[in-house]
Amino acid sequence: MSKYSDAELYANYQDILDLVKRKDLTMADEIYKIPVSEYADRGIWEREVKLVRRTPMMLGFSCDLPEPGSYWAMTRVGVPLLLTRLKTGEVRLFINACRHRGVKVANEGQGKQPRFTCLYHAWTYGLDGSLLALPENRIFGDVDKCDYGLIELAVEERAGIIWGVLTPGVALDLDDFLGEELDAMLRKEGFERFHSVELVELPAANWKITYEGNGESYHFASLHAKSFASFTYPNILHNTKLGKHSLNMTPVVGIEKCDPSSRADLERFVQRSYMLFPGTVCSFASDTAFGERDSKSEVVSRIFMNHVLPGDSPETSITISRTLVSAPFVGTPIEEETRIWARSSHETVRLEDYPVVQSAQDTVHSGGQDYFTFGRNEIALHHFHDALHEALKDEALDA
């Protein structure tokens, strides 16, 4: 379970139950419009890509680097990355490019090894990014190994989450980025206890069109009637602004029968979903999702995360979609239900959300409308676009 106090969980439950009884939600004062051109303009998109690369990004969790010598090579927003854990337990982040001629020193994926050797000319690097050796250095020429380590990027592991910045020389200030309130909330979630179930990469439409579906449940009744709407109440949502970010809380079907004296019930019947600027949504899903559990059973916390990133053009994006659980599950009685939940969550996004998202993308250049309109009930998306517009004013993006 989370580290939230019983009183905090009860207060969340009371807020959500009140909305359920009134069939209500947190609403904006008025509707909100965004020019469709903002989804198509290449100049705006290029600034957005720079912004994403300069903004702290949730790259992974502590479980992704389970022991010293662990590594994870990945590509995010066109930047090849190498994440490592040193013998000291410290996490480091580098651009995955040999300093000789730029070939990746590690193939994409996760594993464990003490060093990385470039396949092209066998330059070898340590977990700390230092250049350890190069063959035939006598005839290669005068090279100071200290000047040829892998290019390092800012990274910090905090409360079970690994954050990084994708632009060399840009500092990582998590205190400023998260703010005191959100930082405290994330610490209470206990991310360090989670185990990865599945990670899939899903190609989709423009990153903003794609991300917007994560910020409202207005579409659940029509699009997800047999999936997400089978265990959550559509269009009932409690939204809290947290600087650039926000927290959405939604009720799980059956909340009216919740036993408020039971911590397990308080965790089970209120879902928390953090919208982390600019494009990550990290949701704590009920353990009743896509199935039922004994109400007296211990709660196994579940994370369903979608990390939406700009693709190679304004018309494309990549979603890093992940599922995690708070207990070891392989070879246990909960393995089957865990894998069913994970598969169902990813498949719902791929088969239900993303065809619709692509349909919207197909109309962007049609001239069919000048604006996309967001209702008062889609308040989290108002906040997302306000925060994005404000961030895009940063003069550093002009460089």
Side-chain angles (χ1 to χ4, degrees), residues 182 211-212 214-216 239 242 244-248 273-282 380-381 383-384:
L182 177 57
Y211 183 59
E212 287 161 358
N214 291 278
E216 45 87 5
N239 174 265
L242 299 164
K244 297 182 178 71
H245 323 278
S246 62
L247 169 65
N248 290 331
S273 182
Y274 297 92
M275 295 189 70
L276 304 172
F277 185 83
T280 301
V281 59
C282 187
L381 303 183
H383 183 50
F384 161 65

Side-chain angles (χ1 to χ4, degrees), residues 65 67-72 82-94 105-106 111-117 124-132 149-152 155:
L65 299 176
E67 57 185 322
S70 299
Y71 74 91
W72 187 6
L82 179 60
L83 195 61
T84 68
R85 189 178 296 282
L86 307 186
K87 292 181 179 179
T88 60
E90 180 185 358
V91 171
R92 303 288 287 275
L93 178 64
F94 309 96
V105 301
K112 179 184 178 182
Q113 59 190 57
R115 62 187 64 85
F116 305 93
T117 300
T124 299
Y125 299 86
L127 292 165
D128 62 355
S130 62
L131 177 60
L132 301 178
L150 299 176
I151 297 298
E152 191 161 6
V155 66

